[in-house]
Short mmCIF file of all heavy atoms in Angstrom, two decimals:
data_model
loop_
_atom_site.label_atom_id
_atom_site.label_comp_id
_atom_site.label_asym_id
_atom_site.label_seq_id
_atom_site.Cartn_x
_atom_site.Cartn_y
_atom_site.Cartn_z
N ILE A 1 5.71 -9.83 -0.03
CA ILE A 1 5.86 -10.08 1.43
C ILE A 1 4.61 -10.62 2.02
O ILE A 1 3.51 -10.40 1.49
CB ILE A 1 6.15 -8.73 2.06
CG1 ILE A 1 6.47 -8.82 3.53
CG2 ILE A 1 4.96 -7.67 1.95
CD1 ILE A 1 7.04 -7.49 4.14
N ASP A 2 4.83 -11.50 2.97
CA ASP A 2 3.61 -12.19 3.51
C ASP A 2 2.90 -11.30 4.51
O ASP A 2 3.25 -10.13 4.70
CB ASP A 2 4.07 -13.56 4.11
CG ASP A 2 4.76 -13.47 5.37
OD1 ASP A 2 5.12 -12.33 5.82
OD2 ASP A 2 5.05 -14.48 6.04
N TRP A 3 1.88 -11.83 5.23
CA TRP A 3 1.08 -11.03 6.04
C TRP A 3 1.79 -10.33 7.21
O TRP A 3 1.49 -9.21 7.48
CB TRP A 3 -0.01 -11.98 6.66
CG TRP A 3 -0.68 -12.88 5.71
CD1 TRP A 3 -1.51 -12.44 4.63
CD2 TRP A 3 -0.62 -14.27 5.67
NE1 TRP A 3 -1.92 -13.55 3.98
CE2 TRP A 3 -1.45 -14.66 4.54
CE3 TRP A 3 0.01 -15.28 6.33
CZ2 TRP A 3 -1.61 -16.00 4.14
CZ3 TRP A 3 -0.16 -16.58 5.99
CH2 TRP A 3 -0.93 -16.94 4.96
N SER A 4 2.77 -11.03 7.82
CA SER A 4 3.43 -10.56 8.93
C SER A 4 4.72 -9.76 8.64
O SER A 4 5.28 -9.12 9.46
CB SER A 4 3.73 -11.68 9.98
OG SER A 4 4.69 -12.58 9.39
N GLY A 5 5.17 -10.06 7.45
CA GLY A 5 6.50 -9.49 7.06
C GLY A 5 7.60 -10.51 7.31
O GLY A 5 8.73 -10.21 7.08
N GLY A 6 7.28 -11.68 7.74
CA GLY A 6 8.23 -12.71 8.09
C GLY A 6 8.80 -13.35 6.87
O GLY A 6 10.00 -13.91 6.94
N SER A 7 8.12 -13.39 5.80
CA SER A 7 8.69 -14.00 4.54
C SER A 7 8.58 -12.98 3.42
O SER A 7 7.65 -12.39 3.20
CB SER A 7 7.79 -15.16 4.20
OG SER A 7 7.94 -16.25 5.14
N THR A 8 9.80 -12.89 2.74
CA THR A 8 9.88 -12.01 1.58
C THR A 8 10.52 -12.71 0.44
O THR A 8 11.38 -13.66 0.68
CB THR A 8 10.67 -10.70 1.88
OG1 THR A 8 11.99 -11.08 2.41
CG2 THR A 8 9.98 -9.92 3.01
N TYR A 9 10.21 -12.34 -0.76
CA TYR A 9 10.79 -13.01 -1.96
C TYR A 9 11.18 -11.86 -2.93
O TYR A 9 10.40 -10.94 -3.07
CB TYR A 9 9.83 -14.01 -2.55
CG TYR A 9 9.37 -15.08 -1.58
CD1 TYR A 9 8.26 -14.78 -0.73
CD2 TYR A 9 10.00 -16.24 -1.45
CE1 TYR A 9 7.86 -15.77 0.20
CE2 TYR A 9 9.61 -17.22 -0.55
CZ TYR A 9 8.54 -16.96 0.24
OH TYR A 9 8.07 -17.89 1.16
N TYR A 10 12.26 -12.11 -3.62
CA TYR A 10 12.72 -10.99 -4.56
C TYR A 10 13.14 -11.66 -5.92
O TYR A 10 13.56 -12.74 -5.98
CB TYR A 10 13.95 -10.32 -3.98
CG TYR A 10 13.71 -9.52 -2.76
CD1 TYR A 10 13.83 -10.12 -1.46
CD2 TYR A 10 13.29 -8.20 -2.76
CE1 TYR A 10 13.62 -9.42 -0.30
CE2 TYR A 10 13.07 -7.51 -1.64
CZ TYR A 10 13.28 -8.10 -0.36
OH TYR A 10 13.02 -7.40 0.75
N SER A 11 12.93 -10.85 -6.95
CA SER A 11 13.51 -11.22 -8.21
C SER A 11 15.03 -11.12 -8.11
O SER A 11 15.51 -10.32 -7.39
CB SER A 11 12.94 -10.41 -9.32
OG SER A 11 13.46 -9.04 -9.26
N ASP A 12 15.65 -11.89 -9.01
CA ASP A 12 17.14 -11.80 -8.98
C ASP A 12 17.66 -10.45 -9.38
O ASP A 12 18.76 -10.05 -8.94
CB ASP A 12 17.68 -12.83 -10.01
CG ASP A 12 17.57 -14.35 -9.47
OD1 ASP A 12 17.36 -14.46 -8.24
OD2 ASP A 12 17.58 -15.21 -10.24
N SER A 13 16.91 -9.75 -10.14
CA SER A 13 17.35 -8.43 -10.67
C SER A 13 17.45 -7.41 -9.58
O SER A 13 18.10 -6.31 -9.70
CB SER A 13 16.47 -7.97 -11.80
OG SER A 13 15.12 -7.81 -11.39
N VAL A 14 16.67 -7.52 -8.44
CA VAL A 14 16.69 -6.56 -7.49
C VAL A 14 17.19 -7.05 -6.13
O VAL A 14 17.38 -6.27 -5.13
CB VAL A 14 15.26 -5.93 -7.20
CG1 VAL A 14 14.69 -5.46 -8.50
CG2 VAL A 14 14.31 -6.97 -6.55
N LYS A 15 17.42 -8.33 -5.99
CA LYS A 15 17.89 -8.91 -4.73
C LYS A 15 19.19 -8.30 -4.24
O LYS A 15 20.09 -8.03 -5.05
CB LYS A 15 18.09 -10.43 -4.89
CG LYS A 15 18.19 -11.20 -3.67
CD LYS A 15 18.25 -12.71 -3.94
CE LYS A 15 17.01 -13.21 -4.59
NZ LYS A 15 17.03 -14.66 -4.95
N GLY A 16 19.19 -7.92 -3.03
CA GLY A 16 20.34 -7.25 -2.45
C GLY A 16 20.32 -5.76 -2.58
O GLY A 16 21.11 -4.98 -1.99
N ARG A 17 19.43 -5.16 -3.36
CA ARG A 17 19.36 -3.76 -3.58
C ARG A 17 17.98 -3.18 -3.10
O ARG A 17 17.87 -2.05 -2.57
CB ARG A 17 19.48 -3.44 -5.07
CG ARG A 17 20.81 -3.80 -5.66
CD ARG A 17 21.00 -3.29 -7.09
NE ARG A 17 19.94 -3.82 -8.00
CZ ARG A 17 19.08 -3.02 -8.67
NH1 ARG A 17 19.11 -1.73 -8.52
NH2 ARG A 17 18.22 -3.60 -9.54
N PHE A 18 16.95 -3.95 -3.28
CA PHE A 18 15.57 -3.51 -2.91
C PHE A 18 15.15 -4.23 -1.61
O PHE A 18 15.52 -5.43 -1.39
CB PHE A 18 14.59 -3.76 -4.00
CG PHE A 18 14.73 -2.92 -5.24
CD1 PHE A 18 15.85 -2.17 -5.46
CD2 PHE A 18 13.75 -2.90 -6.22
CE1 PHE A 18 15.99 -1.38 -6.59
CE2 PHE A 18 13.92 -2.23 -7.38
CZ PHE A 18 14.97 -1.42 -7.56
N THR A 19 14.29 -3.57 -0.82
CA THR A 19 13.77 -4.18 0.37
C THR A 19 12.30 -3.93 0.49
O THR A 19 11.92 -2.69 0.43
CB THR A 19 14.50 -3.64 1.68
OG1 THR A 19 15.91 -3.94 1.54
CG2 THR A 19 13.98 -4.32 2.86
N ILE A 20 11.57 -4.84 0.67
CA ILE A 20 10.02 -4.72 0.86
C ILE A 20 9.88 -4.84 2.33
O ILE A 20 10.45 -5.62 3.04
CB ILE A 20 9.26 -5.71 0.04
CG1 ILE A 20 7.80 -5.41 0.15
CG2 ILE A 20 9.55 -7.17 0.52
CD1 ILE A 20 6.88 -6.27 -0.73
N SER A 21 8.94 -3.93 2.87
CA SER A 21 8.55 -4.03 4.29
C SER A 21 7.08 -3.56 4.34
O SER A 21 6.56 -2.99 3.44
CB SER A 21 9.49 -3.09 5.15
OG SER A 21 9.34 -1.76 4.73
N ARG A 22 6.56 -3.82 5.53
CA ARG A 22 5.14 -3.36 5.72
C ARG A 22 4.94 -2.84 7.15
O ARG A 22 5.67 -3.31 8.08
CB ARG A 22 4.20 -4.54 5.41
CG ARG A 22 4.27 -5.69 6.34
CD ARG A 22 3.38 -6.86 5.76
NE ARG A 22 2.05 -6.52 5.76
CZ ARG A 22 1.17 -7.14 4.98
NH1 ARG A 22 1.58 -8.13 4.11
NH2 ARG A 22 -0.14 -6.83 4.99
N ASP A 23 4.05 -1.99 7.31
CA ASP A 23 3.55 -1.49 8.62
C ASP A 23 2.07 -1.71 8.70
O ASP A 23 1.32 -0.97 8.07
CB ASP A 23 3.98 0.05 8.76
CG ASP A 23 3.70 0.55 10.10
OD1 ASP A 23 2.87 -0.10 10.87
OD2 ASP A 23 4.21 1.56 10.48
N ASN A 24 1.69 -2.82 9.34
CA ASN A 24 0.32 -3.11 9.48
C ASN A 24 -0.51 -2.17 10.27
O ASN A 24 -1.76 -2.02 10.01
CB ASN A 24 0.08 -4.52 10.01
CG ASN A 24 0.51 -5.65 9.03
OD1 ASN A 24 0.67 -5.36 7.85
ND2 ASN A 24 0.72 -6.81 9.52
N ALA A 25 0.13 -1.41 11.08
CA ALA A 25 -0.59 -0.38 11.80
C ALA A 25 -0.93 0.81 10.96
O ALA A 25 -1.97 1.57 11.16
CB ALA A 25 0.23 0.18 12.99
N LYS A 26 -0.19 0.99 9.85
CA LYS A 26 -0.42 2.06 8.97
C LYS A 26 -1.01 1.66 7.66
O LYS A 26 -1.21 2.40 6.70
CB LYS A 26 0.86 2.86 8.66
CG LYS A 26 1.44 3.57 9.89
CD LYS A 26 2.71 4.30 9.46
CE LYS A 26 3.26 5.08 10.68
NZ LYS A 26 4.54 5.81 10.38
N ASN A 27 -1.30 0.34 7.51
CA ASN A 27 -1.91 -0.23 6.30
C ASN A 27 -1.07 0.08 5.10
O ASN A 27 -1.59 0.43 4.00
CB ASN A 27 -3.33 0.16 6.09
CG ASN A 27 -4.28 -0.40 7.10
OD1 ASN A 27 -3.89 -1.30 7.92
ND2 ASN A 27 -5.49 0.12 7.15
N THR A 28 0.24 0.04 5.22
CA THR A 28 1.18 0.49 4.14
C THR A 28 2.31 -0.54 3.94
O THR A 28 2.86 -1.07 4.91
CB THR A 28 1.78 1.88 4.50
OG1 THR A 28 0.68 2.80 4.73
CG2 THR A 28 2.63 2.33 3.41
N VAL A 29 2.67 -0.71 2.65
CA VAL A 29 3.75 -1.50 2.34
C VAL A 29 4.78 -0.55 1.59
O VAL A 29 4.36 0.36 0.91
CB VAL A 29 3.37 -2.75 1.37
CG1 VAL A 29 2.79 -2.18 0.09
CG2 VAL A 29 4.55 -3.60 1.16
N TYR A 30 6.05 -0.83 1.74
CA TYR A 30 7.04 0.00 1.27
C TYR A 30 8.01 -0.75 0.32
O TYR A 30 8.17 -1.91 0.55
CB TYR A 30 7.84 0.69 2.37
CG TYR A 30 7.06 1.44 3.43
CD1 TYR A 30 6.70 0.82 4.58
CD2 TYR A 30 6.67 2.73 3.12
CE1 TYR A 30 5.94 1.54 5.53
CE2 TYR A 30 5.95 3.41 4.08
CZ TYR A 30 5.63 2.76 5.25
OH TYR A 30 4.85 3.46 6.17
#
């Protein structure tokens, strides 16, 4: 995931099942 969360990229093996996200206020990525 990029700095703002605006761009994300996935491997084919997880696409559609996994989601990456981030909370910059909490310094955490999920």
